[in-house]
Amino acid sequence: MAPPSTYVSSESSWWGGKEEHGTPVVVKMDNPYSLVEIDGPGMDTAEKARRKNAKQFKWVLLLRAHRAVGCVAWLAGGFWALLGAVNRRVRRSRDADAEPDAEASGRGRHMLRFLRAFLLLSLAMLAFETVAYLKGWHFPRNLPEEYLRHLPDHVLLNLPEHLRHLPENLRIPERREIEGWLHGAYVAWLAFRIDYIAWAIQKLSGFCIVLFMVQSVDRIILCLGCFWIKIRGLKPRPPAASTKPRSKNDDLENGDADDLDAYFPMVLVQMPMCNEKEVYETSILHVCQIDWPRDRMLIQVLDDSDDVTCQMLIKAEVTKWSQKGVNIIYRHRLSRTGYKAGNLKSAMGCEYVKDYEFVALFDADFQPNPDFLKLTVPHFKGNPELALVQARWIFVNKDENLLTRLQNINLCFHFEVEQQVNGVYLNFFGFNGTAGVWRIEALEDSGGWMDRTTVEDMDIAVRAHLQGWKFIYLNDVKVLCELPESYTAYRKQQHRWHSGPMQLFRVCLPAIFKSKIPFWKKANLVMLFFLLRKLILPFYSFTLFCVILPLTMFVPEAQLPVWVICYVPMLMSVLNILPAPKSAPFIIPYLLFENTMSVTKFNAMVSGLFQLGSSYEWVVTKKAGRTSSESDMFALAEEADTLARPAGPKLVRGMSEGGLEAWAKMHEHDKKDLQLQADAQEEATTPPAKKNSKPKAPNRIFKKELALASLLLIAATRSLLSAQGLHFYFLLFQGITFLVVGLDLIGEQVS
């Protein structure tokens, strides 16, 4: 065969009308085993046959084989490198489940043992089924008529329709072939799983499917309600007179003191924080810049930090703003009793609180705009039944990594759909714990802050609702905050958010039935707010997709419909992603990650419902200290320049990197002095044993997720024996997602 550079086509000769004997051209078609030889004109059949060379055919086959071997070697090398990376990660990591936090409890160990036993059982079943498949004992999709005749009537009635017909290509093992004990055991296993296991799985899967459909209908109704709100432009509006609040000087000139109190009531701003040195400075900066008369606003920085360095830094920041004329005070508790609820309760017990009418709450990572109070407080005027005005969260680091993008999808749906619909139609929703303004009278009437659960915000909202107070949600008022960027921090946060509502449900259920609110509000509170959205969702998600679906691969008599596995979850994912349309490319990772998080949520739900383990422990979510934009850095620089300081270069907003560098050099000396003092005090108070201890490894592994990853991958392998294509792909990708999360490869590792 001529080399590629010497290939000559006879097409030009044909068009030119000349008969020339060109060089034969060998063209390789799509089929690697067929060659078509196109010769020049004038060659007869005998000559063509003589030109065929067996070496050409062998050369093509060798080339194909070489490429195939190279591809296989590349895949094998990549797989081996992946196994090596996994092995190194496991050896260098520490077990997150062994840490003394909310997850390390007897409840967590019991669940891990259950998953390990489940995994070992699935391995044994896979080996058993593989041997049966290789020996030809398997029944692919349907059961033979000879086998059906020996089944009891009650078992026959419970069989799916597709198992009652005999396929044509099925080979039925005869009695003389049953020589060994292994085949007998397999036949006994078939009878046992049809009589008992398949029936139980079908009943449980049917129950979970009903819950799944009920929750899907609720989700669709919420989306339709949000759509109607958008079309009709329904949203809370403050009284017309308070939409344009006058300044304090204007009111004083007019002598209208009563109108002054209406527009600018006394507001207490509380900022609870605990060991959050990454975000305290930015948060205090934004709160101190809120546009409100300074003599009618008091800022309380409620520091629960046990880190001496953090205490000194926060106190110094408060002192700096106090010297600039801001009405701000620093409070520190010696004991962290009651966590955040105890901190807020202690602050509300101060004598001067009785002079204030409203209280605004901001967590340590929140960055409110200067007009926050002017957009929220006017809604209270002329509405004495209003207890709470809640603003929406937006996230400064939503595009930081895949984990933050997936969290943004969830929380956008929560605020855009759930909170807005419940606020417009029911005047009730769960308080988000921050970025909200409370009427102090409503707090006191509802019993104040209580530390009986880890969701004190939901607790006070439910008790206020039972007292007849109303809530307003403002979707247009947005407050910047930060999402956890590591899976460890996000996992702890979700554990608290899902164990707390179950604790609250147990303690609030008697009060709900005894309350004087209408019956339909009680039904909404029990059936929708608690059971459907807090208990049923993690239950069916974990049970259906992480337990029942893998089991059906080993018990093919109990199969899940394709629409349960694929179509309905995809529809729900599309609805969830509508409030964040830019996240549409992440719809598949979002679906898989939500199923992965069902393990943590189910674990937390059971822990809170039955008061297992350390479900009452509060773990502060790790922050990275992201700022909203470069303009905030300029604002920080300009505010710092207003302090008394020798004449120096003045920063202007037109400057960029150079101005920031100049400002950093001016303040570097002060920062270093403060940090050295804090380090010296910390060194003096640090025990010798802690000084000599080695730093912990930053990366962690999560055994429950890894166990479920192995289980799902084994079930995917078993599905290949049954030729279940869609089930195989779902189990494969879901198992890979569990593996990625279990090895802490999602998000950013924070040491």
Side-chain angles (χ1 to χ4, degrees):
M1 184 177 72
S5 60
T6 61
Y7 281 5
V8 179
S9 174
S10 60
E11 185 180 11
S12 61
S13 302
W14 187 84
W15 281 104
K18 298 179 181 180
E19 294 185 1
E20 297 182 2
H21 295 280
T23 304
V25 180
V26 178
V27 180
K28 178 167 62 65
M29 308 299 290
D30 291 338
N31 188 354
Y33 298 100
S34 64
L35 296 175
V36 179
E37 188 175 18
I38 303 176
D39 297 292
M43 289 188 179
D44 56 3
T45 307
E47 187 176 358
K48 292 180 181 179
R50 286 193 300 269
R51 287 181 177 273
K52 290 181 179 179
N53 193 346
K55 292 184 178 180
Q56 295 178 351
F57 184 73
K58 184 183 296 184
W59 183 83
V60 173
L61 292 181
L62 289 176
L63 181 61
R64 287 281 180 152
H66 179 267
R67 291 177 179 175
V69 170
C71 182
V72 172
W74 180 80
L75 291 175
F79 182 70
W80 187 258
L82 177 63
L83 290 180
V86 170
N87 184 39
R88 289 191 297 271
R89 169 59 63 94
V90 172
R91 284 190 287 104
R92 295 177 182 178
S93 301
R94 50 183 171 142
D95 180 16
D97 295 317
E99 295 182 356
D101 58 11
E103 294 289 334
S105 60
R107 175 257 317 150
R109 288 193 294 270
H110 292 326
M111 186 174 184
L112 183 59
R113 290 172 185 171
F114 167 75
L115 292 176
R116 285 176 176 173
F118 201 14
L119 178 61
L120 293 176
L121 180 61
S122 63
L123 281 172
M125 293 171 64
L126 176 62
F128 201 30
E129 295 283 348
T130 304
V131 172
Y133 183 86
L134 295 176
K135 289 184 174 292
W137 299 339
H138 63 290
F139 302 135
R141 296 284 297 173
N142 312 94
L143 296 177
E145 294 180 358
E146 288 78 359
Y147 183 77
L148 293 174
R149 284 197 294 266
H150 297 286
L151 291 177
D153 293 338
H154 70 280
V155 176
L156 196 58
L157 291 175
N158 290 327
L159 284 178
E161 185 66 26
H162 70 274
L163 294 175
R164 305 183 188 183
H165 302 286
L166 179 65
E168 297 178 357
N169 59 348
L170 179 64
R171 172 182 172 273
I172 304 174
E174 300 178 2
R175 282 192 174 274
R176 64 175 181 272
E177 298 180 274
I178 305 178
E179 300 292 343
W181 62 270
L182 189 59
H183 187 280
Y186 183 70
V187 173
W189 156 246
L190 288 178
F192 176 78
R193 81 183 187 190
I194 294 177
D195 289 341
Y196 302 102
I197 300 180
W199 177 86
I201 293 177
Q202 284 177 341
K203 297 300 181 183
L204 182 59
S205 62
F207 177 67
C208 290
I209 290 174
V210 171
L211 297 180
F212 182 30
M213 296 309 300
V214 171
Q215 198 271 338
S216 301
V217 171
D218 174 67
R219 189 62 56 95
I220 293 174
I221 293 175
L222 287 174
C223 291
L224 292 176
C226 181
F227 184 67
W228 183 253
I229 291 173
K230 296 294 183 182
I231 292 178
R232 299 299 300 271
L234 304 176
K235 62 179 181 180
R237 290 181 174 85
S242 61
T243 56
K244 297 180 180 180
R246 291 169 291 175
S247 65
K248 175 185 174 183
N249 294 331
D250 294 339
D251 288 322
L252 291 178
E253 291 176 1
N254 296 332
D256 193 353
D258 295 335
D259 198 45
L260 171 66
D261 293 336
Y263 287 118
F264 296 101
M266 300 290 287
V267 178
L268 178 68
V269 181
Q270 294 181 333
M271 302 178 61
M273 54 184 65
C274 179
N275 297 327
E276 293 171 293
K277 64 174 65 176
E278 298 86 2
V279 295
Y280 77 93
E281 189 172 6
T282 303
S283 181
I284 293 176
L285 163 68
H286 283 80
V287 171
C288 290
Q289 289 181 337
I290 291 179
D291 186 11
W292 201 256
R294 292 190 174 182
D295 61 337
R296 308 191 72 79
M297 180 179 70
L298 172 64
I299 302 174
Q300 286 182 319
V301 178
L302 311 177
D303 184 21
D304 259 5
S305 304
D306 53 11
D307 184 355
V308 178
T309 303
C310 191
Q311 294 177 22
M312 295 180 62
L313 292 173
I314 295 175
K315 191 172 184 178
E317 187 71 15
V318 171
T319 302
K320 181 186 75 174
W321 286 101
S322 179
Q323 292 174 353
K324 293 163 62 176
V326 177
N327 195 8
I328 183 173
I329 60 174
Y330 173 84
R331 282 179 53 86
H332 178 264
R333 294 193 305 163
L334 297 178
S335 175
R336 201 186 163 204
T337 306
Y339 304 109
K340 182 180 177 180
N343 197 0
L344 295 173
K345 183 178 180 180
S346 173
M348 293 297 294
C350 297
E351 183 68 22
Y352 52 80
V353 172
K354 67 176 183 292
D355 299 329
Y356 293 84
E357 187 176 356
F358 303 103
V359 56
L361 295 172
F362 297 103
D363 282 350
D365 59 318
F366 278 70
Q367 307 168 25
N369 290 328
D371 60 351
F372 176 82
L373 290 180
K374 288 187 176 181
L375 294 175
T376 54
V377 173
H379 289 270
F380 289 96
K381 183 185 178 183
N383 195 355
E385 296 180 348
L386 182 61
L388 167 67
V389 175
Q390 172 71 60
R392 178 175 177 171
W393 302 358
I394 56 174
F395 310 102
V396 65
N397 61 338
K398 62 181 180 181
D399 298 324
E400 187 67 24
N401 54 43
L402 178 60
L403 179 61
T404 57
R405 291 177 184 271
L406 300 179
Q407 293 178 66
N408 181 61
I409 295 173
N410 254 343
L411 291 172
C412 281
F413 182 87
H414 169 70
F415 285 104
E416 184 83 17
V417 179
E418 293 180 345
Q419 296 290 77
Q420 187 170 209
V421 170
N422 290 327
V424 169
Y425 294 108
L426 302 177
N427 293 121
F428 167 72
F429 48 83
F431 175 47
N432 294 116
T434 178
V437 181
W438 276 91
R439 189 188 297 271
I440 294 181
E441 179 187 354
L443 285 177
E444 296 173 349
D445 181 59
S446 304
W449 298 104
M450 294 185 180
D451 57 359
R452 55 183 180 175
T453 68
T454 57
V455 284
E456 74 294 326
D457 45 9
M458 186 181 295
D459 189 357
I460 188 64
V462 170
R463 286 186 278 116
H465 180 59
L466 296 179
Q467 295 295 325
W469 292 95
K470 296 181 179 180
F471 303 162
I472 283 180
Y473 171 74
L474 302 178
N475 193 57
D476 296 333
V477 181
K478 303 174 182 179
V479 181
L480 274 171
C481 61
E482 185 178 321
L483 291 167
E485 297 180 8
S486 70
Y487 178 68
T488 302
Y490 179 64
R491 190 172 183 250
K492 293 177 179 179
Q493 180 195 70
Q494 291 301 304
H495 182 273
R496 185 177 76 247
W497 285 6
H498 286 81
S499 65
M502 291 298 98
Q503 303 170 16
L504 182 61
F505 178 66
R506 295 181 73 259
V507 299
C508 278
L509 190 59
I512 293 175
F513 289 117
K514 295 178 182 178
S515 65
K516 298 180 181 180
I517 61 175
F519 175 78
W520 68 271
K521 289 188 176 182
K522 296 181 182 179
N524 170 74
L525 200 58
V526 174
M527 302 302 298
L528 295 181
F529 185 77
F530 279 114
L531 291 182
L532 183 61
R533 297 167 188 166
K534 301 297 188 296
L535 187 147
I536 290 178
L537 178 59
F539 170 77
Y540 84 75
S541 181
F542 172 76
T543 307
L544 196 60
F545 297 107
C546 299
V547 177
I548 294 179
L549 181 58
L551 277 179
T552 57
M553 297 299 101
F554 299 99
V555 186
E557 294 81 9
Q559 293 185 355
L560 287 178
V562 175
W563 58 269
V564 174
I565 301 173
C566 180
Y567 302 141
V568 176
M570 283 298 297
L571 176 61
M572 293 300 103
S573 298
V574 170
L575 293 179
N576 284 0
I577 215 166
L578 286 179
K582 293 183 179 179
S583 302
F586 303 95
I587 185 171
I588 300 298
Y590 170 75
L591 173 61
L592 297 173
F593 182 70
E594 281 302 293
N595 291 335
T596 304
M597 285 305 301
S598 66
V599 182
T600 298
K601 295 176 182 179
F602 177 81
N603 197 15
M605 182 267 293
V606 174
S607 172
L609 187 62
F610 298 102
Q611 295 182 322
L612 303 176
S614 54
S615 59
Y616 287 91
E617 183 174 356
W618 180 287
V619 181
V620 178
T621 305
K622 179 71 175 179
K623 310 293 192 312
R626 306 288 181 184
T627 56
S628 56
S629 64
E630 188 175 316
S631 61
D632 292 328
M633 300 177 67
F634 280 111
L636 178 63
E638 291 173 355
E639 287 294 330
D641 283 335
T642 59
L643 292 173
R645 166 178 299 281
K650 179 70 176 178
L651 295 181
V652 295
R653 196 166 284 274
M655 301 173 63
S656 57
E657 296 182 0
L660 291 177
E661 291 177 0
W663 174 80
K665 289 180 180 179
M666 286 192 302
H667 296 270
E668 183 178 3
H669 182 70
D670 296 339
K671 294 262 185 183
K672 284 184 177 180
D673 289 345
L674 183 60
Q675 187 67 38
L676 288 174
Q677 295 176 10
D679 291 343
Q681 180 141 359
E682 184 179 13
E683 181 75 15
T685 57
T686 303
K690 190 174 181 180
K691 294 180 185 178
N692 300 328
S693 62
K694 297 181 180 180
K696 295 182 179 179
N699 296 326
R700 302 175 181 180
I701 59 174
F702 303 94
K703 289 186 176 180
K704 287 190 281 292
E705 283 80 355
L706 290 178
L708 277 168
S710 303
L711 173 64
L712 292 172
L713 293 176
I714 291 171
T717 306
R718 173 61 181 85
S719 69
L720 292 177
L721 304 182
S722 303
Q724 301 184 25
L726 184 61
H727 295 72
F728 166 74
Y729 289 114
F730 181 86
L731 290 167
L732 175 65
F733 290 115
Q734 190 64 69
I736 292 175
T737 306
F738 267 104
L739 181 63
V740 169
V741 172
L743 293 174
D744 199 14
L745 297 176
I746 186 172
E748 180 167 330
Q749 279 64 52
V750 179
S751 61

